[in-house]
Structures are given as structure tokens and as C-alpha cells.
Amino acid sequence: MKFIEQYWNPEHILCKSRQFFEWQHYYHGEVCFVVAENNCSHELEGIVGYIPYSEEKERDVFGALWKVRNKNYPMLGLKMKLYLMRSINARTLSGIGLNAKTQELHRRSGSFIGKLKHYYLLADLEEYKIAHIVTKMIPDYNRAKEQFELMEIKESEQLRGLCEGEKQQYKSPRKSFDFFSHRYLQHPVYQYQFWGVQNGVNLLGVFVTRDLSHNSSCVLRIVDYIGDIEAIANTGAALRELVRGYEYIDFYLYGIRDNILLDAGFTLKQDDDSNIIPNYFEPFVQKNVSLDFYADSLDDIILFKGDGDQDRPNFITGGRNLEQ
């Protein structure tokens, strides 16, 4: 925590709150950081955080905060990542949030580099206070598709069934219910909602969402999804109802076919899109943001905004039970 304060950001939540630090990086008795210590001075030269997605012996792992303090040890960051890959018995290692420098380091370690796609579904409003809308595009959902309902999920056992279901086991990263519960149900700051994709009595999937507010307005962000991916295409009518009361719903992801989201009525944000669908809310910045990722394998990989440490608070203020 002192290293993060001194060499990363003195206001970073991981150096301000030990409670949040332990919630994110202490998992089943394991402090989820690799550190490089100077043998002479015994000072830390660099740190690499990681987040295990299950308690299995061969587990999927997400990289998090990664910082080397100076240039006295060339390629130390790369060496630490390679050590991390060897030492934690990971089935796969991925991470979201890269700059140009770290992209090159990940390429050198053999990782694939990609970018999350950003989809959004606008409400039909006269004024937008969070988004900046130049061209209002509200495409219709695919009415030829059978339409499923969205029902808010309150019982954790329904989520357990989806996490442990057969369709979920072949995705990467694979999230255990223990991790999923810790990540979303037991979050010390954010309150997530769970919207079940319901076909009659059958629960096919669940959207994990969070409200974001600014300037007396509110948007809904989908941060994760578990269950049958194909069922998303059948939620267009329900999403049109859900977006009422919000400016828009947005969804950062990688690994799901475009037609599934388009059938549900989403618009895929293009690089030259004149509309602005903000990413940053703490503090709020009205600009488009590209989220790059690395992965050591792209086989069956599906990534969301909630993966790794991307959907986390920047400040202690507003936490439900957070202490310094």
C-alpha cells in the first residue's frame, strides 16, 4: 500500500483503504500480488497484482495493478509478469486497461492484444445530460426473435446454478460462484443488480448491472453476464422497457458475435462515432474511452467491463461499509 501511494497515486483507493485492498487482493488466504524486492536495500522495486477467478488448482486469473518504480532494472515489468505466469498455476492470464508501453511488454511475453467493443442502447429523450448525442440512433430490436423477459434476481442460489451450469464451464475466464458472489454480492462499495433472462420458467442468463449518476441524470451499465450467450439476442423488448428512466444502457465486451447484440437493439460504437458515451464517472469525464486488453489465449474468451479491476471505485467517499 505504501508503494502504491509513493509510486502510483497517493489518492488511489488501494493505498487509502486496507479494507478495500484486502477485499480485492486477499483471496482464500492468498495475498494476490507478486513483488520484486531489492536484495540489498530490501525495498520494493515493482509490484504486479492479480485476481483469481476461482479456488480451483488450475484457475483463470486476471492481472490488475502493475507498476515498476524506476528504470534501474531493465525489463523488470516483463520479468515479473513471466514469473507470475509460472508461479500461480493459471489456466489463462488476461487483463484490461493498457497503454502503448504496456501493450509492447505484453506482446513480448506472448500475449494477444485486443480491444473491448462498446455497445449502447439509447433511450428516446429530448435531452441527454451524460451522453453527448449528435446523431440519435435507436435501432429496433429483431422482432422476429422470440422475446424473453427480464426479471430482477434476489436469490443467490439462482446465480449459483448459472455459474455452475454446463454452458458457463466452457467459457474463459471461468468464474466460480464463490468468486462471483465475492465480486458482486459482497462488494464493499457498489450495489449491483441482477437481471435474469427468463424464458417461461427457465432462467437462461443474468445481466449484472450498476447505476451511474451525474448531473441529475442516470445511466445503466452492464458489467457482466453469465449463462446462455445466445439468449441475449432475445431480450430486445425487455431492454427497451429497462432503459426507461435512464439515458442509455451501455455494455463493454469482447468475444460475443455482433449480431447477438444488434438483435437485442444495441448500437456498436465505432471509432469515428460522433456520439460520446462516457466511461469515467469518478470523476466524470465526458469523452469516449477505448479499453484494450491482453490475453494469453483467445480460445472461447469472453470479457466484460467488470473483469479484473476495471469496475472499481476511485474514492472512499460513497462506500457502503468502507474504512481507511
Side-chain angles (χ1 to χ4, degrees), residues 45-73:
E45 298 289 347
I47 61 173
V48 176
Y50 62 96
I51 299 171
Y53 273 24
S54 74
E55 320 74 61
E56 301 170 343
K57 290 184 178 180
E58 190 176 297
R59 58 203 176 161
D60 294 322
V61 173
F62 239 79
L65 194 150
W66 180 18
K67 178 65 177 175
V68 174
R69 73 171 184 160
N70 56 44
K71 299 180 179 179
N72 291 339
Y73 300 93

Side-chain angles (χ1 to χ4, degrees), residues 97-162:
L98 309 178
N99 57 39
K101 181 179 178 181
T102 55
Q103 281 189 25
E104 181 57 28
L105 288 175
H106 286 299
R107 284 193 182 95
R108 292 187 181 188
S109 70
S111 293
F112 297 94
I113 305 298
K115 181 172 69 173
L116 299 190
K117 294 183 177 182
H118 193 186
Y119 296 88
Y120 63 98
L121 193 159
L122 287 177
D124 190 3
L125 304 176
E126 292 185 3
E127 180 186 14
Y128 298 88
K129 298 179 179 180
I130 292 175
H132 176 69
I133 303 301
V134 176
T135 304
K136 185 162 67 173
M137 297 177 292
I138 307 180
D140 199 5
Y141 56 90
N142 187 346
R143 294 177 180 269
K145 290 276 187 181
E146 179 185 2
Q147 294 301 303
F148 301 156
E149 293 183 313
L150 289 180
M151 305 290 290
E152 189 168 7
I153 300 294
K154 297 291 188 180
E155 299 295 328
S156 62
E157 286 305 306
Q158 292 178 285
L159 301 174
R160 180 191 295 275
L162 284 175

Side-chain angles (χ1 to χ4, degrees), residues 31-231:
V31 180
C32 301
F33 265 92
V34 166
V35 300
E37 181 181 342
N38 189 304
N39 285 333
C40 297
S41 67
H42 300 292
E43 295 180 323
L44 296 187
E45 298 289 347
I47 61 173
V48 176
Y50 62 96
I51 299 171
Y53 273 24
S54 74
E55 320 74 61
E56 301 170 343
K57 290 184 178 180
E58 190 176 297
R59 58 203 176 161
D60 294 322
V61 173
F62 239 79
L65 194 150
W66 180 18
K67 178 65 177 175
V68 174
R69 73 171 184 160
N70 56 44
K71 299 180 179 179
N72 291 339
Y73 300 93
M75 305 306 294
L76 177 60
L78 176 60
K79 292 176 183 177
M80 293 181 70
K81 182 191 175 185
L82 294 174
Y83 176 83
L84 174 66
M85 294 169 69
R86 293 194 307 268
S87 64
I88 62 172
N89 196 33
R91 185 175 76 121
T92 63
L93 177 64
S94 310
I96 300 175
L98 309 178
N99 57 39
K101 181 179 178 181
T102 55
Q103 281 189 25
E104 181 57 28
L105 288 175
H106 286 299
R107 284 193 182 95
R108 292 187 181 188
S109 70
S111 293
F112 297 94
I113 305 298
K115 181 172 69 173
L116 299 190
K117 294 183 177 182
H118 193 186
Y119 296 88
Y120 63 98
L121 193 159
L122 287 177
D124 190 3
L125 304 176
E126 292 185 3
E127 180 186 14
Y128 298 88
K129 298 179 179 180
I130 292 175
H132 176 69
I133 303 301
V134 176
T135 304
K136 185 162 67 173
M137 297 177 292
I138 307 180
D140 199 5
Y141 56 90
N142 187 346
R143 294 177 180 269
K145 290 276 187 181
E146 179 185 2
Q147 294 301 303
F148 301 156
E149 293 183 313
L150 289 180
M151 305 290 290
E152 189 168 7
I153 300 294
K154 297 291 188 180
E155 299 295 328
S156 62
E157 286 305 306
Q158 292 178 285
L159 301 174
R160 180 191 295 275
L162 284 175
C163 284
E164 297 175 353
E166 182 178 354
K167 286 183 178 294
Q168 200 68 19
Q169 296 306 308
Y170 296 101
K171 297 187 180 76
S172 174
R174 186 171 61 233
K175 302 167 187 174
S176 70
F177 174 71
D178 182 87
F179 168 81
F180 189 87
S181 175
H182 177 80
R183 172 64 182 85
Y184 296 115
L185 295 172
Q186 301 169 32
H187 198 285
V189 180
Y190 292 152
Q191 294 189 10
Y192 293 97
Q193 302 93 40
F194 306 91
W195 294 98
V197 180
Q198 200 86 21
N199 182 16
V201 297
N202 298 317
L203 178 64
L204 303 180
V206 169
F207 292 107
V208 183
T209 67
R210 183 166 71 84
D211 289 4
L212 298 94
S213 301
H214 178 73
N215 197 22
S216 301
S217 192
C218 192
V219 304
L220 186 68
R221 171 160 291 166
I222 302 173
V223 299
D224 209 326
Y225 179 87
I226 56 172
D228 185 349
I229 294 294
E230 300 287 338

